[in-house]
Structures are given as structure tokens and as C-alpha cells.
Amino acid sequence: MSTVELLPIQDVTACCAPVTTEAMDQASAEVLAKSLKAIADPARLRLISMVAAHEGAEACVCDLQEPLGLSQPTVSHHLKVLVDAGILHREKRGTWAYFSLVPGALDTLADLITTPTK
């Protein structure tokens, strides 16, 4: 039996306009910085890559620990940061958690920090 556990996801698109189109207010800068900090870690970048490259573009936490070479609590911490930032989605199935990319999350982050072409 599958149990879905929905966690709050930070919608980065709701916070702000692209940084190159108008000056950001403090609150918008803090929300965007949280998301950028979430991906500005080598282990988290590897986790994003591993999840995206995994069969079906989702991975069980049990499949991520060994290739990453980190302890289970450390991997769980990094995954939680990515979920809280709205980059990964977490689904509980039995005793395991499965992770997948939130559709468009990375594209949205990229759009918020790139200069539009004229």
C-alpha cells in the first residue's frame, strides 16, 4: 500500500520577478536565496542529478546513500533541504521515501537569475 505524504513546497515563482528586470525587495531576495543556497552544495547537486538520472526520474532514499558516500542522516538532511526549497518532491511508500524533481523547479530558478535576451 502506498502512502503519499505531502510536504510544504516553496514556490519560487510566487516570490519574485527575475533579478534583471526590477530591483528585488528584501523578502523576495530571502526566498530566492534560500532556493539558491539549497542547490549550492556539491552533495545536493549530486542528489538532484542522481534523482533525475534514475529510472523513471525518481529514486528511493535507499538508492542514494551508497553512491553518494554519505551517512543516512546526512543524505536525509540534504534531501529535506531540497524538498523544503521546492526542488524535490517526496512521496512515502511503506517504509521508504521516494524523491523526484518538482516539474519546472530548476527551470524557474534559472529563469529568475538569467538576463533576458533582446
Side-chain angles (χ1 to χ4, degrees):
M1 176 185 248
S2 175
T3 305
V4 176
E5 180 182 340
L6 297 177
L7 298 174
I9 294 176
Q10 179 67 49
D11 182 5
V12 184
T13 59
C15 84
C16 35
V19 296
T20 57
T21 60
E22 62 185 60
M24 285 185 135
D25 61 31
Q26 181 67 27
S28 296
E30 288 174 8
V31 170
L32 181 56
K34 179 181 177 184
S35 294
L36 293 173
K37 284 179 186 179
I39 64 170
D41 179 279
R44 293 184 200 139
L45 285 173
R46 289 191 63 210
L47 284 167
I48 292 168
S49 174
M50 291 165 63
V51 168
H54 205 269
E55 184 178 334
E58 71 171 9
C60 175
V61 68
C62 60
D63 296 326
L64 300 171
Q65 180 182 337
E66 187 178 328
L68 202 55
L70 298 173
S71 69
Q72 183 275 323
T74 302
V75 172
S76 292
H77 165 75
H78 287 305
L79 290 168
K80 182 183 182 326
V81 169
L82 291 168
V83 168
D84 289 348
I87 307 297
L88 292 181
H89 168 76
R90 178 182 186 265
E91 182 179 333
K92 182 101 166 137
R93 298 183 198 159
T95 59
W96 295 108
Y98 286 78
F99 294 86
S100 58
L101 285 173
V102 171
L106 294 176
D107 293 331
T108 299
L109 277 176
D111 289 346
L112 289 171
I113 60 172
T114 56
T115 305
T117 54
K118 296 180 182 182

